[in-house]
Amino acid sequence: MKYIYMVLLLCTLHVSAQNLTGTITDRDKHALENVNIYNLSKGSHTHTDANGTFVLPAPRLQDSLVISRLGFKTYYLVVDQDLLSEPLVVELEEASTSLDQVVLTAEVNSLSTVVAVDLKLNPVKSSQEILRKVPGLFIGQHAGGGKAEQIFLRGFDIDHGTDVAISVDGMPVNMVSHAHGQGYADLHFVIPETIENIDFGKGAYYADKGNFNTAGYVDLRLKEHLDASSISVEAGQFNTSRLTGLFNLVDEQNHTAYLASEMYLTDGPFDSPQNFNRFNVLGKYTYTNPNKDKLTLTASHFQSKWDASGQIPQRAIDQGLIGRFGAIDDTEGGQTSRTNINLNHLKNLEHNAVLKTNAFVSKYDFELYSNFTFFLEDPVNGDQIKQQEDRFIAGLQSVYERRHVTLGSGSLEYQAGVGFRYDNVDDMSLSHTLNRQTTLDRIALGDVDELNAFAFLNTEFKTGKFTFNPAVRLDYFKFDYYNKLTETYDNKSESKVAFSPKFNTIFSPTQNWQLSLKTGIGFHSNDTRVVVANSGEDILPAAYSVDLGTIVKPIDRLALNATLWTLFLDQEFVYVGDAGIVEPSGKSRRMGVEVGARYQLLDWLYVYGDANYTYARSTEEADGEDYIPLAPKFTSAGGLSVDNLNGFSGTLGYRWLGDRAANEDNSIVAAGYFVTDFNVNYTIKNWTLGVIVENLFDVDWNETQFATESRLFNEPAPVEEIHFTPGTPFYLRGKITYRF
């Protein structure tokens, strides 16, 4: 480690006088971050930091440069002596988002930048759409809209977040040791209209992403200021209504503040009304001082209540006991809330360095009633369960970031970070209940304290057309569980350390072609109740992953991407929150191929599509009995978007999930689906009129499916078969937005 520090020190002393330096802003003098500056003559590149500043190593006279960022006109210039004598100041002019604004420099995560075009041309319209913006990521809802969605990515049935790390403005969303399931990630506290960008990465290749970053990560960045205040009213089928307001409170050079709120009501298409309601409110304040230091404070509150019809067995429909949107137990449902305070601070230091600090606290409550097996365990009262918890979360992360360090003819960037996350969960319980009113039996009850402290070092060496990215991360976990159902005091504690090295190599032969080889080790922690039950053994299963990928732009307005990947997951133990038991799950391997295409046919017409194939198997089971239940085999999503065509905009999109095994021997199959959605908007002056249609062709599809053994009230013996939540039928809504 001392040699790394010596290299970094030497690098800070080597600064060429012939470097090109500068600042890039928009026309309102706001600094623009992550603007690409690409030397067409040499193939070298750099990008701006949070203050809009950059350093391009040693360009030569008459070198041609291109400066580009999504949403702005591309800027070209030729290096002359004046440019090298004085810092360059460039104001980029806003323009309609287009693929020709994307330059494929040797960045570790360029695909996220390419896919950002999708978000700009087709903004998120509901909380359910947020994660679908990630190519290859599918979700499913199976508890009335208030429960976190089930997630599928890279051959993983991630449940509610076990193998994908999700965060909002640096604050983690995943809940460790959750009453319902490990990694539970409920994004419903995010108001879609406040999203500025969705950053994502697949695989375990990112040192600043820790727990749950195995299949990938998703980072949401919320807007710091609003272009305008607005009020939206949305109404549609199934007694659906949504009222949204975004209000600029302060919009000055050094101060910005806004308030956003949302109220959403619906009964859903089910025979038993969902009685769903969700309320969100968010306030965000940003202060920038003359030194360009920045302080951002965000406070939000979310609460939701709902009834649910749950997962129903196919045989109940075949026998005429219920309809497709009926229920065996219509007293399922729940309520939840989350209050967040999130502070982000950026401090500018000498030598193009910044110190970024993020601190957050959250207060979270959760109560969920479910019935998966009906009358299997209790033939008189039924098998309804209640899961409940009361949680407090606190965390802090500080990252020292140094950019634009000249190293010979190349440059060095590095980030060194430390931080922690602490979860205190009181009265985490699993109970057997009747009609959401009577507690028949307590199955589990206890308190959890879980601490994760971490440090990481991420380095990027850029030389010519190459970027080399060695990195390492160290995580320390301490798990405590107090079992309140024992007669005597029973407090168990375990600790563990995870070491996660990464190494990525990116090569850009031209501004329109990138090749990458990524390698890394990641992990996800197991539930605290698993940890203490297994005496701290096999509690941080590692994920070993490799990606070989390419992105190419054969023409300015066409981007193609392809990736071959593999991932091996170590032994793990799973806490089944629905039963209060620990189940072992063996090693597994996944291999896959991903392809995607994006084409700007015309200034106003954009086409996109992604397809993914995964082979997923357990490695310790016999052939034919080694299927991983519900692991997606084939997925695809895409569509076409119209933007700014005489005031019209809209999207026609599809989602395709293929058939997949629902159990280990593939004797029960979860049926796939192909669903088409449509929306269109017309803007005139300050008004926007919109129509949203989900499931345009009204196909019957199953949103979530499980192979479950259950028994109906009139059955003498249990039956194992597909239990499913029906997908939304044709669903029409209208929307009116006024901006002021």
Side-chain angles (χ1 to χ4, degrees):
M1 184 65 73
K2 67 180 180 179
Y3 298 108
I4 295 177
Y5 290 130
M6 291 174 64
V7 170
L8 296 180
L9 179 61
L10 290 173
C11 292
T12 62
L13 300 176
H14 187 114
V15 180
S16 170
Q18 294 302 303
N19 290 342
L20 175 63
T21 64
T23 302
I24 300 177
T25 69
D26 60 17
R27 289 296 178 90
D28 295 324
K29 309 297 184 182
H30 291 129
L32 294 178
E33 187 177 7
N34 290 323
V35 178
N36 281 311
I37 301 92
Y38 189 89
N39 189 327
L40 294 171
S41 304
K42 294 177 61 177
S44 59
H45 77 283
T46 187
H47 51 279
T48 58
D49 57 24
N51 298 310
T53 61
F54 71 90
V55 177
L56 182 67
R60 300 165 302 195
L61 293 176
Q62 302 306 308
D63 278 356
S64 297
L65 308 183
V66 57
I67 298 174
S68 65
R69 188 180 189 270
L70 279 184
F72 293 87
K73 287 186 178 179
T74 302
Y75 189 91
Y76 296 91
L77 72 159
V78 176
V79 176
D80 57 25
Q81 192 59 51
D82 290 340
L83 283 179
L84 297 176
S85 302
E86 297 289 338
L88 175 68
V89 178
V90 175
E91 293 181 2
L92 294 184
E93 183 180 345
E94 289 191 20
S96 297
T97 298
S98 175
L99 267 177
D100 55 18
Q101 297 162 356
V102 176
V103 174
L104 296 177
T105 56
E107 297 298 326
V108 175
N109 205 13
S110 292
L111 182 59
S112 184
T113 302
V114 175
V115 175
V117 178
D118 300 2
L119 178 65
K120 296 294 185 182
L121 296 180
N122 182 24
V124 173
K125 290 168 288 297
S126 69
S127 59
Q128 280 73 27
E129 282 190 27
I130 294 172
L131 293 177
R132 288 180 184 153
K133 291 297 181 181
V134 177
L137 192 154
F138 275 59
I139 63 169
Q141 176 57 253
H142 57 94
K147 186 179 176 183
E149 280 78 18
Q150 186 180 10
I151 302 172
F152 303 94
L153 179 66
R154 282 201 161 183
F156 279 87
D157 169 14
I158 295 175
D159 194 21
H160 299 288
T162 311
D163 288 282
V164 60
I166 302 175
S167 61
V168 176
D169 279 349
M171 179 182 66
V173 177
N174 304 74
M175 298 289 181
V176 298
S177 304
H178 188 269
H180 181 68
Q182 176 70 336
Y184 188 90
D186 186 352
L187 266 174
H188 296 141
F189 68 88
V190 176
I191 301 173
E193 288 83 355
T194 65
I195 296 175
E196 175 69 23
N197 187 45
I198 301 176
D199 178 35
F200 70 89
K202 299 180 186 179
Y205 311 121
Y206 316 98
D208 59 333
K209 315 301 177 189
N211 199 6
F212 305 117
N213 175 214
T214 51
Y217 79 87
V218 181
D219 276 348
L220 304 185
R221 178 180 291 187
L222 305 185
K223 296 177 179 179
E224 289 189 353
H225 67 278
L226 305 176
D227 295 331
S229 299
S230 65
I231 296 177
S232 297
V233 179
E234 186 178 317
Q237 291 178 276
F238 315 128
N239 291 325
T240 298
S241 59
R242 180 173 181 258
L243 176 63
T244 309
L246 288 83
F247 307 101
N248 260 323
L249 303 179
V250 180
D251 190 9
E252 300 176 356
Q253 184 68 30
N254 296 328
H255 300 267
T256 61
Y258 70 87
L259 183 69
S261 61
E262 172 197 49
M263 174 61 77
Y264 179 47
L265 308 170
T266 187
D267 284 338
F270 301 93
D271 296 342
S272 296
Q274 289 184 3
N275 299 310
F276 176 84
N277 68 78
R278 179 172 69 228
F279 172 72
N280 268 319
V281 62
L282 174 142
K284 191 165 188 177
Y285 169 75
T286 301
Y287 168 70
T288 306
N289 70 11
N291 191 43
K292 296 184 179 180
D293 299 335
K294 184 182 295 184
L295 177 71
T296 302
L297 177 64
T298 307
S300 64
H301 175 71
F302 148 80
Q303 63 185 42
S304 180
K305 293 182 180 180
W306 68 96
D307 297 324
S309 296
Q311 300 145 33
I312 56 176
Q314 183 63 46
R315 65 185 185 278
I317 300 174
D318 296 339
Q319 296 171 16
L321 300 178
I322 59 174
R324 179 171 171 79
F325 293 94
I328 302 298
D329 181 354
D330 63 0
T331 65
E332 296 186 45
Q335 60 183 359
T336 185
S337 68
R338 180 167 181 171
T339 302
N340 306 305
I341 298 177
N342 192 22
L343 179 69
N344 285 279
H345 181 251
L346 183 148
K347 173 66 177 176
N348 289 291
L349 306 173
E350 295 181 345
H351 308 297
N352 296 312
V354 296
L355 181 65
K356 297 179 179 179
T357 301
N358 169 239
F360 60 88
V361 294
S362 289
K363 180 69 172 64
Y364 172 81
D365 295 294
F366 175 84
E367 181 180 275
L368 179 68
Y369 294 87
S370 308
N371 190 344
F372 304 109
T373 55
F374 312 126
F375 294 94
L376 178 67
E377 303 294 338
D378 187 336
V380 176
N381 299 302
D383 299 345
Q384 186 179 89
I385 59 171
K386 172 185 176 182
Q387 295 164 318
Q388 188 172 19
E389 68 168 59
D390 180 7
R391 181 184 297 254
F392 171 78
I393 312 170
L396 174 71
Q397 175 177 283
S398 285
V399 180
Y400 176 82
E401 181 175 307
R402 179 76 186 276
R403 291 187 177 183
H404 316 315
V405 179
T406 302
L407 183 61
S409 60
S411 64
L412 167 70
E413 298 180 4
Y414 61 92
Q415 299 86 34
V418 295
F420 76 91
R421 170 180 172 170
Y422 170 69
D423 285 68
N424 171 250
V425 192
D426 291 331
D427 296 325
M428 181 184 295
S429 66
L430 172 65
S431 304
H432 179 200
T433 59
L434 175 65
N435 296 327
R436 285 171 70 169
Q437 296 292 326
T438 305
T439 299
L440 301 174
D441 181 37
R442 283 197 181 276
I443 303 170
L445 176 65
D447 295 341
V448 168
D449 284 284
E450 186 169 326
L451 172 68
N452 172 206
F454 58 86
F456 66 86
L457 176 63
N458 183 70
T459 61
E460 293 185 23
F461 298 91
K462 301 177 187 293
T463 174
K465 300 175 181 180
F466 281 92
T467 294
F468 300 101
N469 175 215
V472 65
R473 182 182 178 95
L474 191 66
D475 284 84
Y476 167 80
F477 284 85
K478 190 173 188 302
F479 307 88
D480 287 280
Y481 181 64
Y482 170 43
N483 188 346
K484 291 185 172 182
L485 291 184
T486 58
E487 294 183 1
T488 59
Y489 180 77
D490 183 14
N491 187 39
K492 294 183 179 180
S493 179
E494 297 288 346
S495 60
K496 201 76 171 180
V497 173
F499 178 71
S500 308
K502 335 272 185 178
F503 191 88
N504 307 312
T505 301
I506 316 297
F507 175 55
S508 288
T510 71
Q511 70 180 94
N512 293 317
W513 187 17
Q514 181 194 97
L515 298 164
S516 63
L517 176 62
K518 301 179 182 180
T519 61
I521 299 176
F523 70 94
H524 74 244
S525 68
N526 275 319
D527 190 291
T528 292
R529 292 159 290 188
V530 174
V531 172
V532 299
N534 289 280
S535 302
E537 297 297 323
D538 300 313
I539 60 174
L540 296 177
Y544 308 87
S545 55
V546 178
D547 272 34
L548 177 62
T550 185
I551 309 174
V552 62
K553 292 181 66 182
I555 57 178
D556 279 348
R557 293 194 166 195
L558 174 64
L560 308 173
N561 65 276
T563 303
L564 293 172
W565 63 271
T566 184
L567 187 148
F568 180 85
L569 188 65
D570 262 349
Q571 171 72 29
E572 62 178 316
F573 291 90
V574 178
Y575 181 81
V576 183
D578 299 332
I581 60 175
V582 175
E583 289 184 350
S585 176
K587 296 179 175 65
S588 64
R589 72 179 185 275
R590 291 166 172 84
M591 298 177 288
V593 58
E594 302 170 342
V595 295
R598 280 150 182 82
Y599 187 23
Q600 192 93 39
L601 282 164
L602 301 166
D603 287 345
W604 53 269
L605 184 60
Y606 175 74
V607 181
Y608 63 97
D610 296 283
N612 312 271
Y613 173 79
T614 302
Y615 178 85
R617 292 292 187 272
S618 296
T619 62
E620 298 176 325
E621 304 296 333
D623 287 347
E625 299 178 0
D626 56 351
Y627 289 85
I628 300 175
L630 301 180
K633 184 177 180 180
F634 177 80
T635 64
S636 180
L640 57 88
S641 294
V642 171
D643 181 54
N644 197 25
L645 177 62
N646 298 321
F648 284 95
S649 63
T651 299
L652 178 67
Y654 75 89
R655 288 173 281 130
W656 182 9
L657 175 65
D659 295 350
R660 59 203 191 279
N663 60 352
E664 288 79 358
D665 62 4
N666 198 27
S667 60
I668 302 177
V669 176
Y673 59 79
F674 188 100
V675 177
T676 305
D677 300 323
F678 171 74
N679 70 83
V680 63
N681 301 286
Y682 177 67
T683 300
I684 178 171
K685 296 183 178 179
N686 295 341
W687 294 88
T688 299
L689 309 178
V691 174
I692 303 167
V693 182
E694 295 184 31
N695 194 358
L696 179 64
F697 300 111
D698 197 24
V699 299
D700 288 342
W701 63 291
N702 297 338
E703 186 162 8
T704 57
Q705 302 176 71
F706 302 88
T708 305
E709 184 181 47
S710 67
R711 190 166 78 92
L712 302 178
F713 184 75
N714 61 346
E715 290 181 328
V719 177
E720 184 180 16
E721 66 168 352
I722 286 292
H723 292 55
F724 68 92
T725 300
T728 304
F730 181 89
Y731 183 16
L732 174 65
R733 306 190 300 277
K735 184 176 181 180
I736 300 176
T737 301
Y738 176 68
R739 292 177 176 82
F740 57 94

